[in-house]
Amino acid sequence: MTIAGRTLTTDVIAALTYWPDVLWGGREYPPEPVDLTVLPPFLNGLLADLPWWNRDWKVGHVEPGVPLEIGSDHRGHPARFTEVSVPGTVSPSDGDGESLPFVAKVGFVGDQLIRFQAKIDDVVIGPAAAPAGRLEPHPFGRVLTGLMDLRGIPVKRMAWETERSRSTIRMLRDGRHNPDLPLVREIAEALGLSEADVRVIAGLDAVAPREEAP
């Protein structure tokens, strides 16, 4: 789904930025109510652009959003964009079926949509990082790349310190190789971080063996 360049209407922006439960400096509280009925058609339009989306399912109910990030150039609190979480429900348009919980994450700058993610029941739908037909990269790769770059550690040195091949380190950085516990242990030592921290970053905290109390 391509979202770059989409323009939000003033009504949609007003609905996305209606936060009756949030105190925010410089804003009237409580805010004047706005028309939230513009959001279901807006969200349904985004979902309908997914080629595999069943258009019989519609977002029929939404609640006021909750800001996750608020765009501002205020000194000490800079934010490049606004991102809002909008809860609601989806259900089949013929009424034959149970409604499912729905939440949308919408990010925008000015009137330009830059990010969209939806969660329907327990399934997350969002923009892919890899081209169509290719597996999504493991998120640890991007973090590892940033940590190595910050420390000035090239692939050759990381391979030497972990006693791994350069191709393994490259694939790990590209997200084409899943981190395992032995590799995480070696990476942590090379980065000067604790194994526990890197294990959490790699998403292995839930599968790591726990030490038993004496």
Side-chain angles (χ1 to χ4, degrees):
M1 178 178 59
T2 302
I3 62 174
R6 292 173 184 248
T7 300
L8 307 181
T9 66
T10 55
D11 289 344
V12 167
I13 294 173
L16 290 173
T17 54
Y18 174 63
W19 311 318
D21 297 326
V22 177
L23 287 171
W24 182 250
R27 286 184 175 231
E28 178 185 356
Y29 185 83
E32 289 291 331
V34 301
D35 182 12
L36 294 181
T37 63
V38 300
L39 290 181
F42 165 69
L43 296 170
N44 285 323
L46 294 177
L47 291 171
D49 279 352
L50 293 168
W52 47 265
W53 177 252
N54 183 348
R55 299 183 183 184
D56 289 336
W57 283 79
K58 303 288 186 182
V59 178
H61 167 74
V62 296
E63 298 174 8
V66 177
L68 305 174
E69 188 162 357
I70 301 174
S72 170
D73 58 1
H74 188 276
R75 187 175 62 182
H77 300 280
R80 295 172 297 170
F81 61 92
T82 297
E83 190 164 66
V84 183
S85 174
V86 181
T89 59
V90 294
S91 56
S93 54
D94 60 7
D96 184 17
E98 183 181 357
S99 295
L100 297 175
F102 168 85
V103 62
K105 184 187 292 185
V106 183
F108 55 97
V109 175
D111 64 355
Q112 297 299 300
L113 181 67
I114 62 169
R115 182 183 298 174
F116 172 69
Q117 182 187 80
K119 184 176 181 181
I120 300 169
D121 202 6
D122 59 356
V123 177
V124 177
I125 302 169
R134 292 179 56 184
L135 289 174
E136 286 296 284
H138 195 289
F140 180 66
R142 182 175 181 181
V143 178
L144 175 62
T145 298
L147 291 171
M148 288 176 60
D149 291 348
L150 282 173
R151 289 162 173 75
I153 302 176
V155 170
K156 179 179 179 180
R157 178 179 157 193
M158 179 61 76
W160 181 80
E161 292 195 14
T162 58
E163 298 183 356
R164 302 278 180 159
S165 68
R166 297 185 196 180
S167 62
T168 295
I169 301 302
R170 290 193 188 97
M171 287 192 296
L172 196 63
R173 285 167 57 100
D174 292 341
R176 293 182 290 121
H177 186 76
N178 289 349
D180 54 36
L181 288 174
L183 183 52
V184 161
R185 196 170 294 121
E186 297 156 6
I187 292 288
E189 185 175 352
L191 292 173
L193 298 172
S194 75
E195 178 190 335
D197 285 342
V198 179
R199 197 169 62 221
V200 171
I201 293 171
L204 297 177
D205 54 308
V207 297
R210 296 181 178 273
E211 294 184 1
E212 295 184 358

